[in-house]
Amino acid sequence: EVKPSNAANRKLRWSVDGTPEGISVNASGVVTVKKNATVSSCVIRAVTTDGSNVEGSISIKITENTNPVTAVKVSAKSVSVVNGISKEIEVVTTHKDKSKGGAELLSWSCEDTAVATVSVTSDGKLKITGGKKGKTRIIGMAKDGSGKKVSIQVTTGVGISSISLSGSSVLKAGKSTTISVLTVPADATNRKFDWSVTPAGAGVSVKNGKVTASKKAERRSYTITAMAKDGTGKSASITIKVTDDV
C-alpha cells in the first residue's frame, strides 16, 4: 500500500533480495516461485520511483506444495464501477484434489490504485471499489506458487450524486405523460434508472419515465420513483394524481 493515496507517482520498483534462482517478482508485485527454487525463504522489496527512495519489504517462506491450485475462475472478467461504489464478484479456485477455495487464496494487485482498489471479503469474494475515472487491470496470483492467475479489467466511471424529477402533476385516465430526469453531475457515466409506481396494480404503469394511466385506473395520487442503476442508490420521486379531467 502506497501512502498518501493521492501521491502523484505511485509506481514501485520491485526486487528479490539476493536474486535467488527460481524466484521472481514482476512490476505489479506478483511473486512467482518455480519448482527449481533454491532457498526456503526470501525477502521481496519495493522502492518508490518518485525520487524519495521510500521502501518496504516482506519476508516469504517457501514450502513444498502438494495440493496446488489448478484453475481459477471469476464470475466476471470485466467490471464497471463508479467512484466510491463497490462491486463484489465470485472467485473460485480449484485444487489438485478437486477441493474449492475463494479469493483469499490469491494475492491481488491493481495496476492503478487511483482508479480502483481491491480487497477480499470475509466470505471469499473479491471486492472492487471505484476511484477516479479511468481504466485499470486487477491481477490475482495463487499464493501457493502454482503460477495460476486471473486478470479482471476494471472501468471506473462518474457516479450520480443526486436526481430530480419534473413533469405534470395531473394525469387523465386513459392518457400518458413523460417524466423528465435531471442528474448531478450531468456527465454521470450511467444515467439509466429503475422505475416504479406506488401503489402498484391500481391501473398506473411506468416505463422509462413514461407514465400511463388506464381508463380503469383508480382515481387517486400515485408516487413515481426513479432509482439510479449505477449502484449509488440515489433516487427521486414525484406525485401524479389520476383524474377524470385535466
Side-chain angles (χ1 to χ4, degrees):
E1 182 182 4
V2 177
K3 294 183 178 180
S5 59
N6 62 345
N9 182 354
R10 299 171 57 83
K11 293 183 178 180
L12 302 173
R13 183 174 62 254
W14 294 87
S15 64
V16 184
D17 283 8
T19 60
E21 184 179 353
I23 303 173
S24 61
V25 57
N26 68 14
S28 298
V30 177
V31 179
T32 301
V33 180
K34 295 182 178 180
K35 292 182 178 180
N36 66 340
T38 56
V39 295
S40 59
S41 65
C42 66
V43 174
I44 306 299
R45 196 172 303 277
V47 182
T48 56
T49 60
D50 63 355
S52 62
N53 292 321
V54 176
E55 69 173 55
S57 63
I58 187 171
S59 180
I60 297 177
K61 184 178 180 180
I62 300 170
T63 59
E64 184 178 358
N65 184 16
T66 58
N67 187 31
V69 172
T70 57
V72 180
K73 291 185 178 181
V74 292
S75 58
K77 285 292 188 76
S78 62
V79 176
S80 295
V81 292
V82 295
N83 51 299
I85 302 300
S86 301
K87 280 189 178 180
E88 294 182 1
I89 65 173
E90 300 280 352
V91 179
V92 178
T93 59
T94 303
H95 295 255
K96 184 178 179 181
D97 65 357
K98 306 303 181 183
S99 61
K100 305 292 184 180
E104 73 280 358
L105 298 181
L106 291 90
S107 294
W108 296 94
S109 61
C110 183
E111 293 180 343
D112 189 343
T113 54
V115 173
T117 56
V118 60
S119 60
V120 177
T121 66
S122 59
D123 58 352
K125 295 180 182 178
L126 190 66
K127 183 178 181 180
I128 300 172
T129 303
K132 71 176 185 179
K133 185 178 181 180
K135 294 185 178 182
T136 188
R137 183 173 64 147
I138 289 172
I139 300 172
M141 176 69 76
K143 294 179 180 178
D144 65 355
S146 61
K148 296 299 179 182
K149 62 181 179 180
V150 66
S151 65
I152 302 168
Q153 298 294 326
V154 179
T155 300
T156 297
V158 179
I160 292 174
S161 60
S162 68
I163 303 170
S164 59
L165 304 181
S166 62
S168 175
S169 61
V170 180
L171 176 61
K172 184 177 180 180
K175 299 294 183 179
S176 298
T177 188
T178 299
I179 304 300
S180 297
V181 185
L182 177 66
T183 63
V184 176
D187 64 344
T189 303
N190 183 352
R191 300 182 67 252
K192 294 181 179 180
F193 308 92
D194 284 322
W195 291 88
S196 62
V197 56
T198 305
V204 174
S205 61
V206 58
K207 182 177 181 181
N208 297 327
K210 184 179 180 179
V211 182
T212 301
S214 69
K215 290 183 178 181
K216 295 183 179 180
E218 294 180 14
R219 274 51 168 177
R220 55 163 298 163
S221 293
Y222 295 82
T223 300
I224 310 299
T225 301
M227 171 75 75
K229 298 181 74 171
D230 64 355
T232 58
K234 300 299 181 181
S235 66
S237 298
I238 190 172
T239 299
I240 295 178
K241 185 176 182 179
V242 175
T243 65
D244 289 315
D245 298 301
V246 176

